[in-house]
Amino acid sequence: MTQDTAHIFLTGGNLPLEPNGFVGREADVEELIELLSVARLVSLCGAGGIGKSRLAVRVASQVAAEFSGGVWLVELAEAVRDELLVPRVAAVLGVKAEPSRPLADTLLDALGDRQLLLIIDNCESLIEESARFCRTLLTVCPEVRVLATSREPLRVAGETVWRVPPLTLPRPGGHDVRTSEAVRLFIDRAGAASRGFTAEHNAGEIASLCEALDGMPLAIELAAALCRVLTVEQIHARIRDRFRLLSAGDRTAPARHQTLRATVDWSYQQLKEPERILLRRLAVFTGGWTLDMAEQVCAGNGLWAEDVLSVLCDLVDKSLVLADAEVAGQTRYRMLETIRQYAAEQLDVSGEEIELRRRHRDHMIEIAGRIHRLIVRRPRPTWAEICPMLVLLDELQANVWAAVRWSAENDDPESALHLLVLLRWPTIAGGRFTPADHWLDRLLEVESPALTPRMRGDALVLRGQVAFGQGDPEAARKACVAAAELCRATGLHGPLSGALAILAWVAIYQRRPDRARCLLDEALEAVHRVDDPWHEMVIRAMEGTFALSEGRAKESQRSFEAALAIAHELDNHWAAPVALIGLAQVAWVRGDLAEARAYYEQALDLLQDITAHWQTITCLSGLGRIALAQGDLTTARARLIESLRLCRGTGQRLGVARRIETLAQLALAEEDDRRAVRLAGASAAIRSAMSGSVLPSGFGARMEELLQPARARLGDALVAQLWAHGQEMSQEQAVRYALEGDERVGTSPLTGRSPAAAPLTTLTGREWEIADLVARGLSNKAIADELVISPATAARHVANILAKLGFSSRIQVATWVIEQNRG
């Protein structure tokens, strides 16, 4: 008995052997087996190349023993239009025609009460015939079950449609990408194509490649086959031209499965003209769209707006468009990237692309304008009105950047900047600093006559806000100085208030209190002239931050309470957390940890449904620090890790440095001195690498609090070595070490660029002696007399102590020394 014969005997039908290993889809197979036990007609629907046929055969082989009449496969891949289905089924089952009797009747009699599973593969080739035949089978053959594969549902009574998903992709931040079905399939097929293939050092590259291919099995198999002649890196680099790259498949496969283009092209050729029109026009959307967007952008010239819904439904049925999520009460549609690229090619050939891109850009400006008006309009909307638009905006980010890019590349900087400026508050509150920084820099390079003064002024202010959010105060200062000069010259008080507010932030950061106070007063005066309570709230919160930095806690609390009152009046869940965070920080300074925690938790509760990364990060970090201060190290670690993970994706270097510093303090509390010193060194290195960075007040003092106990336990030499390890880490290595505890990062040999050196924050023995005298209230002259040194030398030592600890006054030094001695 041959292997094929044995297989037919075991399955009681004509089910083929699997040509190679079946990879992944374990959960899908299990679910379909369960489904077949209760449903008589199950249709596996999905795009070409998604793996419908292979999955059907796999499921059928698992349930074959349950069908005494066998499992039979009817393939329609090569069927032509108007061909009859019944003769194909009869031929597979061995049913012969009878004289003077329809073959269909003979076939149904032969099936009768047989307990049989019929797989009808590629029903889209004969969709109407397949639907009629299956409806009849369900009516007259009670023990027959049908497992169909098709690019669209049959739409008959009793049908259960099961959409075949792409293979699972690696989870963001996941430790082992090989748990992904897509990665496993690539590795398996690449190993078969090239005996020398190994995934040991390029698993991350494979994961990125599989993600670019949407987890589509056909595309992954075609790409893996190229490993016989290309490296994974080469394949990934060329994947943008996927239709040319993936053009040599299995010679024995149906023609439309031998190349990726043939698979998609076949589906496109089967469409009716309105479906082709809509599919290619939908290519202007990046990431996803709603029905309203499709009607606004894609209607006209052969496709009426009122017909868009029905045509879109047809494309969903044919698995060329996915309806895979609900966003703000609306269904979100998208295409697999392979389909979208093909549709984009058809759009380019049609000659409609420029007009469609313009419509898309204008519609994104319309949506942005709607969001902006919701935020600033009078009477104020409720948060319930604002929130759905913000949630929708989160889903449309890729479309926003596509619209900005198209405008920039087509010499329309005004429209691109208009879109960015309308989305100012979502950009800042959501921490979407990248790629806003890139586009603002590029668009602001345009000569002045190409931009109106108002647009340039608003854009410069936004650039300053983005730069400050990224931890680049010098870039923020330059942008806002230019904005303030332009706004003063043209009488633009609205953007002027924004520019002055950011310049005040920079002054606070640079420890220039007099200038900060002056700028804040001027910013308030400007904002009152344009009646902008949202911006007034921001400035009041800045006043609170400024007062707190000066040690004026009561004044700070009053400013934050005033900001909170405005936020409540606006019913704005972006605005209120800003004030609540400020009140939490005031409570922290006063030592009221319970009140601080309550404020942070109130703020987090308001942020549940929106993207506001900066505020969420600050709340999580604050709660982590409170837990650390209270000795709850488990909660502290959970909150701080969550904060750093979120911060990692925002591009905020200063935020990353702060989070790593706090995790160093946690490591010290956990008695892991080595880890604490490495993390402290890494945090300091990130800060020092930042352009124009100024160490925050008390930074050196906090470093000393970390390093002093470590030196006592480990010794100066080892602390210096560990600090150097931390300094050597890149930011990404430091983040990975902080999150995952990857000791290979933290203990890698030094590069030799510099010898191990003590941290710059380390106070010398003499400086500790002088710091103690400062704490006792001695003047420089008295210190000089006490130590028998010159007053100039004493003054120099005190200046060094202030610089190392990051303090601006002797009182701060005294307070810190007293706290250290008390500990």
Side-chain angles (χ1 to χ4, degrees):
M1 181 182 292
T2 66
Q3 187 178 25
D4 283 350
T5 305
H7 185 69
I8 291 171
F9 175 77
L10 289 172
T11 61
N14 69 336
L15 200 64
L17 286 167
E18 293 179 309
N20 47 23
F22 186 86
V23 178
R25 295 206 186 278
E26 291 85 359
D28 295 344
V29 170
E30 186 178 340
E31 182 178 339
L32 284 167
I33 290 173
E34 179 68 25
L35 195 56
L36 270 175
S37 70
V38 295
R40 292 189 56 211
L41 169 58
V42 177
S43 295
L44 305 185
C45 293
I50 205 69
K52 302 182 294 296
S53 300
R54 189 68 190 270
L55 178 59
V57 170
R58 181 66 170 187
V59 170
S61 68
Q62 301 298 301
V63 299
E66 299 175 19
F67 292 92
S68 58
V71 177
W72 302 89
L73 173 65
V74 179
E75 296 182 286
L76 305 182
E78 303 304 321
V80 297
R81 192 180 297 276
D82 298 327
E83 184 179 342
L84 297 178
L85 174 62
V86 168
R88 281 184 173 254
V89 178
V92 166
L93 293 172
V95 175
K96 306 297 183 183
E98 296 178 288
S100 305
R101 189 183 188 201
L103 179 59
D105 292 347
T106 304
L107 176 61
L108 292 173
D109 282 349
L111 288 171
D113 293 333
R114 289 177 64 185
Q115 194 176 29
L116 176 147
L117 176 62
L118 191 64
I119 305 170
I120 307 179
D121 195 26
N122 296 295
C123 289
E124 69 275 3
S125 301
L126 298 174
I127 192 69
E128 299 295 337
E129 273 287 307
S130 298
R132 285 192 293 270
F133 179 72
C134 288
R135 182 178 60 195
T136 302
L137 273 184
L138 295 182
T139 304
V140 301
C141 301
E143 297 302 320
V144 172
R145 294 181 185 266
V146 179
L147 182 59
T149 75
S150 178
R151 301 193 187 191
E152 58 181 306
L154 301 180
R155 298 184 191 167
V156 298
E159 177 187 30
T160 298
V161 177
W162 198 88
R163 297 281 178 183
V164 179
L167 296 175
T168 60
L169 295 167
R171 289 177 299 169
H175 296 298
D176 186 2
V177 299
R178 300 187 198 206
T179 59
S180 150
E181 293 172 343
V183 172
R184 287 164 53 198
L185 177 64
F186 185 95
I187 292 173
D188 182 86
R189 300 302 191 255
S194 171
R195 292 183 61 187
F197 175 81
T198 175
E200 184 177 351
H201 301 298
N202 56 8
E205 192 79 26
I206 294 171
S208 297
L209 175 59
C210 291
E211 187 171 356
L213 294 173
D214 302 308
M216 181 183 285
L218 174 63
I220 291 171
E221 296 213 25
L222 292 171
L226 290 173
C227 286
R228 68 187 187 279
V229 290
L230 296 174
T231 65
V232 175
E233 290 79 5
Q234 287 176 303
I235 298 170
H236 195 192
R238 295 165 181 258
I239 205 62
R240 287 189 177 182
D241 192 7
R242 64 186 66 197
F243 294 117
R244 178 177 298 176
L245 181 67
L246 308 180
S247 59
D250 181 357
R251 290 190 180 92
T252 66
R256 57 182 175 155
H257 280 175
Q258 289 184 18
T259 72
L260 191 60
R261 174 176 292 283
T263 298
V264 183
D265 193 53
W266 189 90
S267 293
Y268 187 73
Q269 297 306 320
Q270 306 307 305
L271 299 178
K272 300 171 185 175
E273 187 57 24
E275 295 168 342
R276 293 185 188 184
I277 292 173
L278 182 56
L279 184 71
R280 66 176 180 249
R281 291 179 182 176
L282 290 171
V284 298
F285 295 112
T286 304
W289 67 89
T290 65
L291 174 60
D292 287 344
M293 294 169 67
E295 290 173 334
Q296 292 292 320
V297 175
C298 299
N301 299 326
L303 182 65
W304 297 101
E306 55 265 32
D307 293 333
V308 168
L309 173 57
S310 62
V311 178
L312 183 59
C313 289
D314 289 339
L315 293 175
V316 171
D317 280 347
K318 291 176 170 60
S319 304
L320 293 171
V321 169
L322 306 177
D324 64 348
E326 182 181 310
V327 180
Q330 301 183 63
T331 299
R332 187 196 72 170
Y333 303 91
R334 67 180 179 91
M335 285 188 276
L336 295 177
E337 184 59 21
T338 297
I339 305 297
R340 197 191 72 81
Q341 286 192 19
Y342 181 89
E345 290 182 7
Q346 302 308 311
L347 180 63
D348 179 51
V349 171
S350 73
E352 297 180 316
E353 183 171 12
I354 292 177
E355 175 60 24
L356 265 294
R357 295 286 178 192
R358 183 180 293 110
R359 283 194 220 167
H360 174 261
R361 188 272 316 281
D362 291 346
H363 189 62
M364 294 311 301
I365 289 176
E366 180 186 333
I367 292 174
R370 230 182 298 158
I371 293 172
H372 179 73
R373 288 189 297 275
L374 271 177
I375 293 172
V376 303
R377 82 175 191 210
R378 286 182 182 277
R380 297 295 169 195
T382 64
W383 187 250
E385 294 177 83
I386 297 175
C387 192
M389 290 298 294
L390 299 179
V391 173
L392 178 62
L393 178 63
D394 284 344
E395 294 293 327
L396 299 182
Q397 284 299 300
N399 281 291
V400 169
W401 301 120
V404 169
R405 179 183 300 106
W406 186 83
S407 295
E409 292 173 351
N410 286 270
D411 299 321
D412 191 357
E414 182 88 8
S415 292
L417 286 173
H418 185 39
L419 179 54
L420 290 173
V421 167
L422 285 172
L423 295 175
R424 165 185 290 154
W425 296 120
T427 297
I428 300 304
R432 299 185 179 97
F433 304 131
T434 304
D437 53 352
H438 162 76
W439 287 114
L440 286 165
D441 285 340
R442 176 172 169 176
L443 294 162
L444 285 168
E445 289 175 356
V446 176
E447 293 299 322
S448 296
L451 296 174
T452 63
R454 177 64 190 237
M455 188 55 63
R456 183 175 287 278
D458 278 332
L460 282 167
V461 173
L462 177 57
R463 182 65 187 96
Q465 291 172 317
V466 167
F468 196 82
Q470 290 177 311
D472 191 347
E474 181 56 25
R477 186 193 66 79
K478 288 180 179 178
C480 288
V481 165
E485 291 175 355
L486 175 63
C487 293
R488 286 192 178 104
T490 53
L492 297 171
H493 298 291
L496 175 61
S497 68
L500 294 171
I502 296 301
L503 289 172
W505 268 119
V506 173
I508 294 170
Y509 182 78
Q510 294 176 336
R511 301 179 205 156
R512 300 173 64 190
D514 293 340
R515 177 161 174 74
R517 177 73 270 171
C518 179
L519 287 165
L520 283 172
D521 289 342
E522 193 178 351
L524 271 177
E525 181 183 347
V527 81
H528 286 154
R529 297 181 70 169
V530 294
D531 186 25
D532 184 351
W534 167 274
H535 207 183
E536 181 182 354
M537 185 280 305
V538 174
I539 296 171
R540 291 294 183 192
M542 290 176 61
E543 281 186 324
T545 301
F546 174 54
L548 192 62
S549 72
E550 293 288 291
R552 293 177 272 117
K554 288 185 178 179
E555 182 182 335
S556 174
Q557 178 148 348
R558 286 195 295 271
S559 293
F560 283 123
E561 287 172 346
L564 186 60
I566 297 173
H568 284 327
E569 179 193 347
L570 297 176
D571 189 24
N572 192 300
H573 290 201
W574 271 338
V578 173
L580 289 167
I581 288 168
L583 290 170
Q585 291 168 341
V586 172
W588 169 273
V589 169
R590 292 202 321 264
D592 191 339
L593 301 187
E595 184 175 300
R597 184 175 62 248
Y599 280 129
Y600 279 130
E601 288 173 345
Q602 285 180 53
L604 262 186
D605 188 54
L606 291 173
L607 297 169
Q608 290 299 315
D609 299 323
I610 56 173
T611 299
H613 291 317
W614 173 80
Q615 293 149 323
T616 303
I617 290 165
T618 304
C619 289
L620 291 170
S621 184
L623 290 168
R625 288 189 298 115
I626 290 169
L628 177 57
Q630 294 177 327
D632 184 356
L633 304 188
T634 301
T635 299
R637 171 163 292 282
R639 292 294 197 178
L640 294 173
I641 288 292
E642 190 178 357
S643 175
L644 179 57
R645 285 191 194 281
L646 191 54
C647 195
R648 179 189 206 176
T650 66
Q652 299 179 61
R653 292 174 296 167
L654 181 58
V656 168
R658 286 171 176 164
R659 264 80 253 176
I660 291 177
E661 179 191 330
T662 311
L663 282 165
Q665 294 168 343
L666 173 64
L668 189 71
E670 293 172 331
E671 299 183 355
D672 190 344
D673 296 334
R674 294 168 180 260
R675 181 178 177 79
V677 176
R678 290 190 189 110
L679 288 173
S683 173
I686 294 170
R687 287 181 185 273
S688 65
M690 290 167 58
S691 173
S693 62
V694 175
L695 291 178
S697 177
F699 175 74
R702 294 197 302 275
M703 288 295 100
E704 273 300 302
E705 290 166 15
L706 275 165
L707 298 171
Q708 192 178 4
R711 280 195 294 266
R713 290 190 283 261
L714 302 177
D716 289 346
L718 182 53
V719 166
Q721 183 79 6
L722 294 167
W723 177 271
H725 274 140
Q727 293 270 298
E728 286 279 299
M729 292 184 200
S730 68
Q731 178 173 312
E732 184 55 35
Q733 287 175 322
V735 169
R736 194 165 74 249
Y737 181 56
L739 292 177
E740 303 171 11
D742 188 346
E743 291 299 327
R744 290 172 299 177
V745 174
T747 58
S748 57
L750 296 177
T751 62
R753 289 198 298 267
S754 58
L760 295 177
T761 58
T762 302
L763 297 183
T764 64
R766 174 64 92 178
E767 286 167 349
W768 269 108
E769 188 177 10
I770 291 173
D772 281 328
L773 295 175
V774 169
R776 286 165 49 191
L778 272 65
S779 66
N780 287 351
K781 184 177 184 308
I783 291 172
D785 293 341
E786 177 83 12
L787 300 178
V788 193
I789 56 178
S790 71
T793 300
R796 188 171 65 251
H797 280 307
V798 170
N800 286 341
I801 292 167
L802 289 170
K804 286 185 176 183
L805 297 182
F807 290 143
S808 57
S809 71
R810 299 166 73 95
I811 293 175
Q812 290 174 305
V813 173
T815 302
W816 180 75
V817 170
I818 291 169
E819 288 295 325
Q820 293 302 296
N821 291 337
R822 184 182 299 161

